[in-house]
Amino acid sequence: MPLPTPILDDRSWQQLRDELVRRIPVYTPEWTDHNPSDPGITLLELFAFLGENLLFRFNQIPEATRLSFLKLLQVPPRPAQPARAMLELLQSTPSAAETLVPPGTEARAGSTPFETCDEACVWPLAARAVARARAAAPTPGSDAEIYAQAARSARGMDDGDEAGYYVVEVLGADPAQPGFAPVDFGATQDGVLWVAVLATKATDTARLGGALLNLGYIPDTVVPSMQEVKACPATEEPTDEVVWEVSTAELRDREPVYRALRVEGDTTRGLARQGVVRLRLPADATVPGLPEPDDADLAGTGDFPPTLEDEELAEKLLFWIRGYRRRADRPLAKTLWVGLNAAEALQVRSARAELLGTGSGGAGQSFALANAPVIPDSLRVEVEEPGGWTPWTRVDDFAGSWRDDRVFTLDPEAGTVKFGDGQRGRVPQIGERIRAREYRFGGGAAGNVGPKAISRVVGVAGIKASNPTRAVGGEDAEAVGDAIERIPAEMRRRDRAVTREDFRDLALATPGAGVGRAEVLPLFHPPTLEEEAAGVVTVVVWPREDPAHPDAPVPDRDLLRLVCAWLDARRLVTTELYVVPPTYRRISVSVGVKTKPGFGVEAVRAWVELVLRQYLAPLPPYGPSGEGWPLGRRVHGPELEAAALQVEGVEYLEGLRLVEHGKAESDPDECVPQTVLLEPYEVPELAAITVVEGAPLAPGATFSPPPPLDEQGNPRDPDEPAPVPVPIPTLREEC
């Protein structure tokens, strides 16, 4: 089929002529004769004819020409961003032998390819994270109090000795399950992450000597409030590393003995972000074990591992791995998932080595890669110089390069490698071959698949995969039209954040973050809520979507980290930058409507509720002006009434009641406009809304069951006590 021709301006001669005539009263009010016989109208029609011909030529500009304009201005379209996911690798057929899954192994979610970033040895093992959650002292005389007293006596504790009571909390294995709750390991009794290593049907403990285990870790990414966010760059990585130990069956002075594990790699930065910790077990396969106290009452106390109440898990338990930080002031975070045989994956594919071409000795040599878009950090370019193949370094531009610097630039979207001009960057000489030793390509919003969507592993027999949480970070390449609209702003700010508009536009353009809205609060200091803090810039960001909170979207820590890093590289040195989530003020609205004849009451009520939700929504294209509810703008009852009256089918409003959620009205009968005032950093969240026919209900009130009837079928007197419902059991017949 032929490619469609883009129409940049579709105005016809008649439309251009009419527009010019309509402008006559604005610029020359004394010109009153607009008939075709007037000479001035004849000239306007001539100009409209010439304009139509220019628009026809303008519409013939092809896509390649517009791309050339962007390249000349050095404003290339932004490339696609790959999605990232955590994978749990499993044995599809039980086997006692481990299976090596090398890095770069392809896993698929349908037809969408992913590649693993880490090497993993898949063992026939499973894992569950366990916490000692703090608990109050047991009730005197209860069974729990008797067991606790026996444990205190076994440890030689007096009644006056302080004891820390806890309950065993096992982290769920499926974060996608409804009602799943993360576990806060920073608020436990001992501050330790306990990992129960479980056996499967094919586990052979004799093969575990020196085994390398990949422990996957996904922290809870919810940010409760802006006061908890640190200034950019937000360094969440602790200064001290996490200590990892494995339990043994050995006791020393009646206490269990743990052996230190060697950390072969850690992409979690000390359990501060999602990643994989690679732990090497002791070479002696008999070392990992379960400590058995000489007194049964000592089980679960002190340094002994927690006691699993789940009998099924307790039967499969092989040994424990525990992790903790040395410093108590750096507790662990809330955790969403912990599992073995884990590997991170990117929505990319690896390309084979390519011969790009041969140097010509000229300035600005350019070579195209076979695949695009390219992941910039993955590209390795080498030039065959007299001494052999020499690696060259990728730079953003040649501004800071000297004539002998072996550097090149990359257009990720087009997949083009460009070299310098001999003054800024060395040029490949005549006959010098150029090759791309390795690179990865791919990306797009199609990689943001849901939980358990990645299941198939290509090239490794007997292994399947599963992603416990959804993949995030994928974003499609920028359209050419959007890149053209971005040119004026790019030429103005030169990729630097100085003004309020600069911070806002750059935050919205953060690659792979999915920012739906950004607002800037200059001189606002989030930790202290001070509004006149010199040198401070606060950027409030909303995610493009939040399935868990559709009416009040909240960004997670990963989104804040991405925006923070993107803006930190472009801010002034003297600017103290904060990237924070929005703060919501919960409100309740109750509306009473009068429906016009011929309209359904239920349909009108649903439309009024939808209009008010959209009017109070924080994300565009909703809100009073289509850009989301402005920060700090009050919620005024009459403007909500005006929005509700726009619904077709509403004759008039019986009333509208507005209060802050959870608070009572000051005087419901007082006829004054109802208003909820917001702080400069707040937006409203519609916590409760009721729309009824007739007088409005109290804000936050819900519908209640109708009053009971008496034996004659009439409504019972509310002052008369209602009979107590009593169930009658159904008697089953047994043969």
Side-chain angles (χ1 to χ4, degrees):
M1 61 179 295
L3 294 176
T5 302
I7 302 299
L8 305 180
D9 195 330
D10 59 354
R11 287 179 294 177
S12 64
W13 172 85
Q14 187 66 42
Q15 291 174 323
L16 292 173
R17 186 256 186 202
D18 294 342
E19 183 178 349
L20 291 173
V21 172
R22 285 194 299 269
R23 294 188 180 188
I24 292 176
V26 178
Y27 297 102
T28 56
E30 62 275 7
W31 185 358
T32 58
D33 187 3
H34 300 165
N35 294 314
S37 59
D38 186 81
I41 297 299
T42 303
L43 290 175
L44 290 183
E45 292 177 349
L46 175 61
F47 292 142
F49 171 76
L50 296 175
E52 184 184 33
N53 282 271
L54 289 175
L55 291 180
F56 174 77
R57 294 183 181 182
F58 182 64
N59 287 330
Q60 305 310 306
I61 297 177
E63 195 86 356
T65 304
R66 294 194 288 170
L67 284 172
S68 299
F69 290 158
L70 292 175
K71 292 178 181 178
L72 288 175
L73 294 172
Q74 295 184 352
V75 185
R78 295 192 177 97
Q81 298 295 322
R84 178 180 291 269
M86 176 69 73
L87 298 184
E88 182 182 14
L89 303 174
L90 308 168
Q91 290 185 344
S92 55
T93 55
S95 173
E98 68 278 9
T99 304
L100 178 64
V101 179
T105 300
E106 182 178 341
R108 286 185 170 271
S111 60
T112 304
F114 287 77
E115 279 193 0
T116 59
C117 304
D118 317 293
E119 178 187 81
C121 260
V122 181
W123 296 88
L125 298 171
R128 296 292 294 274
V130 180
R132 287 172 162 170
R134 290 194 180 100
T139 304
S142 62
D143 293 342
E145 197 271 339
I146 296 175
Y147 294 144
Q149 186 62 36
R152 292 169 59 94
S153 300
R155 300 202 67 86
M157 300 175 61
D158 298 331
D159 293 338
D161 294 338
E162 182 179 359
Y165 299 97
Y166 71 90
V167 293
V168 176
E169 189 171 354
V170 181
L171 181 63
D174 186 6
Q177 185 178 2
F180 180 88
V183 174
D184 189 0
F185 284 92
T188 59
Q189 186 62 49
D190 53 1
V192 176
L193 169 64
W194 294 91
V195 180
V197 180
L198 310 175
T200 63
K201 295 180 179 180
T203 302
D204 183 5
T205 56
R207 301 179 62 92
L208 295 179
L212 185 61
L213 304 181
N214 278 28
L215 186 68
Y217 175 77
I218 302 178
D220 185 26
T221 56
V222 175
V223 180
S225 65
M226 66 169 60
Q227 285 85 353
E228 298 185 3
V229 178
K230 300 178 182 179
C232 296
T235 55
E236 297 184 6
E237 298 80 9
T239 56
D240 56 333
E241 61 182 10
V242 176
V243 178
W244 294 97
E245 297 174 335
V246 61
S247 65
T248 68
E250 181 183 355
L251 295 179
R252 186 178 302 158
D253 297 333
R254 303 185 66 190
E255 294 294 334
V257 175
Y258 294 87
R259 291 276 298 273
L261 295 177
R262 191 172 69 219
V263 179
E264 300 282 353
D266 184 6
T267 61
T268 68
R269 306 291 181 87
L271 299 184
R273 61 178 64 180
Q274 176 177 311
V276 176
V277 183
R278 295 167 60 83
L279 302 174
R280 178 76 67 179
L281 292 180
D284 187 356
T286 62
V287 169
L290 296 175
E292 295 290 342
D294 53 8
D295 188 344
D297 292 330
L298 290 176
T301 65
D303 271 353
F304 282 97
T307 303
L308 293 177
E309 299 179 358
D310 190 331
E311 296 182 358
E312 183 178 356
L313 294 180
E315 291 178 357
K316 299 178 181 179
L317 182 61
L318 292 178
F319 55 89
W320 290 88
I321 293 176
R322 68 177 186 178
Y324 59 90
R325 295 202 177 111
R326 293 187 178 92
R327 294 176 53 180
D329 60 339
R330 296 186 180 273
L332 300 175
K334 282 187 177 181
T335 302
L336 203 63
W337 180 83
V338 172
L340 283 178
N341 304 325
E344 286 193 289
L346 280 177
Q347 183 213 351
V348 295
R349 299 185 67 182
S350 295
R352 296 180 179 179
E354 297 177 12
L355 183 63
L356 302 183
T358 305
S360 62
Q365 300 176 52
S366 180
F367 301 90
L369 297 166
N371 303 284
V374 180
I375 307 302
D377 295 337
S378 66
L379 178 61
R380 302 289 181 268
V381 172
E382 296 179 345
V383 178
E384 188 181 25
E385 300 180 13
W389 289 99
T390 304
W392 287 40
T393 305
R394 183 185 64 86
V395 294
D396 295 333
D397 54 63
F398 298 110
S401 303
W402 296 90
R403 64 176 60 188
D404 293 329
D405 291 344
R406 291 170 171 81
V407 294
F408 66 93
T409 61
L410 169 69
D411 184 348
E413 178 60 25
T416 304
V417 175
K418 185 176 181 180
F419 295 92
D421 57 5
Q423 297 298 321
R424 296 187 181 277
R426 185 181 184 274
V427 298
Q429 301 301 311
I430 298 176
E432 292 183 348
R433 292 187 297 174
I434 305 166
R435 70 180 182 184
R437 184 172 181 178
E438 61 177 346
Y439 68 93
R440 292 184 293 180
F441 63 96
N448 297 327
V449 297
K452 302 179 182 179
I454 307 174
S455 57
R456 188 159 62 95
V457 177
V458 180
V460 182
I463 297 297
K464 60 182 180 179
S466 177
N467 54 315
T469 57
R470 64 189 299 264
V472 295
E475 187 173 346
D476 291 330
E478 185 181 27
V480 177
D482 296 337
I484 291 177
E485 293 179 359
R486 185 165 49 90
I487 289 176
E490 291 289 348
M491 301 301 291
R492 182 185 68 249
R493 62 173 173 258
R494 296 290 181 180
D495 205 30
R496 291 292 181 269
V498 179
T499 66
R500 174 184 297 197
E501 290 75 15
D502 294 344
F503 280 99
R504 178 181 178 275
D505 295 343
L506 286 172
L508 290 172
T510 304
V515 179
R517 179 188 173 190
E519 297 292 341
V520 181
L521 295 173
L523 306 180
F524 178 74
H525 190 246
T528 60
L529 302 182
E530 183 182 352
E531 299 180 15
E532 295 295 334
V536 178
V537 174
T538 298
V539 181
V540 186
V541 295
W542 286 259
R544 194 173 299 150
E545 59 180 7
D546 186 0
H549 312 91
D551 294 333
V554 179
D556 55 25
R557 295 185 187 272
D558 294 334
L559 189 150
L560 295 180
R561 186 185 299 113
L562 287 174
V563 178
C564 187
W566 181 255
L567 293 179
D568 183 64
R570 291 158 177 82
R571 65 178 174 89
L572 298 178
V573 178
T574 56
T575 302
E576 184 179 355
L577 177 63
Y578 289 86
V579 180
V580 301
T583 301
Y584 291 97
R585 179 74 64 89
R586 295 164 62 85
I587 63 173
S588 299
V589 178
S590 179
V591 186
V593 299
K594 173 62 177 177
T595 306
K596 292 180 180 180
F599 288 86
V601 176
E602 294 298 327
V604 171
R605 288 177 52 217
W607 273 109
V608 170
E609 179 178 345
L610 178 61
V611 166
L612 291 180
R613 288 187 181 276
Q614 293 179 347
Y615 191 75
L616 294 166
L619 289 179
Y622 306 117
S625 59
E627 298 180 354
W629 191 269
L631 282 176
R633 174 173 171 171
R634 66 175 184 174
V635 183
H636 197 42
E639 65 176 329
L640 299 185
E641 294 178 356
L645 287 172
Q646 296 178 5
V647 177
E648 186 178 3
V650 175
E651 186 171 356
Y652 60 86
L653 296 185
E654 295 279 1
L656 185 144
R657 300 166 70 176
L658 164 69
V659 296
E660 188 175 345
H661 187 66
K663 293 186 178 181
E665 296 177 279
S666 57
D667 190 354
D669 299 328
E670 187 178 356
C671 187
V672 296
Q674 298 162 314
T675 303
V676 175
L677 300 179
L678 303 181
E679 297 293 338
Y681 51 86
E682 291 182 330
V683 290
E685 176 189 354
L686 190 56
I689 179 172
T690 54
V691 182
V692 297
E693 173 82 4
L697 303 177
T702 57
F703 296 100
S704 57
L709 304 178
D710 56 16
E711 297 179 355
Q712 287 75 30
N714 300 318
R716 186 178 298 275
D717 186 358
D719 297 332
E720 181 181 351
V724 178
V726 177
I728 298 178
T730 301
L731 301 180
R732 298 182 179 181
E733 297 182 358
E734 296 183 2
C735 296

